Each structure stands twice: as structure tokens, then as C-alpha cells.
Amino acid sequence: MSITLVNPDGLPVVDAYRQVSVATGSRLVHVAGQVAWDADGAVVGAGDLAAQVERCYLNVGTALAGVGASFADVAKLTIHVVDWTPDKMPLVLAGIDRAAAALGVTPVPPGTLLGVAALDVPEHLVEVEAVAVLD
């Protein structure tokens, strides 16, 4: 495996992600920000943040699989949430949990959550991008 996830001493342990990833592979994979749409481009989970987070993670999983990768190869995730407020965190975590169960993974690489004013269309509430490393 090309990614080792670490919570170094002196930094807080956060259940949703690890603080550091160490990559030792030779191929870098950048997954475009994935939004809550199906293979035909139809919005999934309109108005439902948890459902959209779930679909974004499933789409990241599909993108990774398309190049022979998985969440085990992800070195960094970035999540963009429209009109972010901390009270939305349980919905984000619920969506991640549902996607993790569907994918059979624990997606906990280092991550950044950013609040944004808008995404590509008003129906999209969240976007998730990934960087992976393959041997």
C-alpha cells in the first residue's frame, strides 16, 4: 500500500480523519471535485446534505476505481460545503458513514473542509475532491 495514515503525538485525534498521510508510490492521481450527480448527470439528493455527501464519496470511489485505485490510496480529501456552518457537521459525517458502509471502507485520510458561497449549480450542496498515490 502506498499510503500510511498517521496521528502524530502532540496533535489531536479526530475520528473523521488522520492528521498526516505519507505517500510512497510513483503515480499521483487527482480526482476532480465530485458532486451529487448520477452517471447521467442528474442531481441526487436535492436539498439533502447527507445524501449529497454520500453520493460525492461514492462518485470519488467510482473515479478511483476507474484508474485502479481505492480509498486506501487516497492521500488527501477536500470537501467544499455551500453555506457552511458547524451545525451541518452531523449531516456531513452521516453521509460519509453511509458511503463508507456502501464502499466497505473507512475513508479517513487527511482532509480539509471549506465553506463556499456556491458550487457549479444551485442544487449542489457539496463537492469532494481527492488526491491519491499509486505504486
Side-chain angles (χ1 to χ4, degrees):
M1 187 176 330
S2 57
I3 303 293
T4 302
L5 301 176
V6 181
N7 274 325
D9 290 340
L11 294 176
V13 174
V14 179
D15 291 337
Y17 62 89
R18 301 301 176 262
Q19 296 285 359
V20 176
S21 67
V22 179
T24 58
S26 60
R27 294 187 300 149
L28 192 58
V29 177
H30 292 270
V31 177
Q34 296 298 304
V35 293
W37 54 21
D38 64 17
D40 296 321
V43 174
V44 175
D48 183 339
L49 181 58
Q52 288 201 16
V53 169
E54 177 183 7
R55 185 59 191 222
C56 290
Y57 271 73
L58 294 175
N59 287 350
V60 168
T62 298
L64 291 167
V67 296
S70 72
F71 270 96
D73 302 303
V74 173
K76 176 80 166 56
L77 288 171
T78 303
I79 304 170
H80 303 86
V81 181
V82 173
D83 296 326
W84 173 256
T85 55
D87 62 308
K88 293 181 180 179
M89 184 58 86
L91 296 171
V92 170
L93 295 175
I96 293 170
D97 287 345
R98 294 194 315 232
L103 294 166
V105 300
T106 304
V108 293
T112 300
L113 190 152
L114 300 169
V116 297
L119 292 170
D120 58 331
V121 297
E123 295 80 16
H124 289 152
L125 305 176
V126 62
E127 183 172 313
V128 179
E129 60 186 66
V131 176
V133 179
L134 299 176
D135 290 327

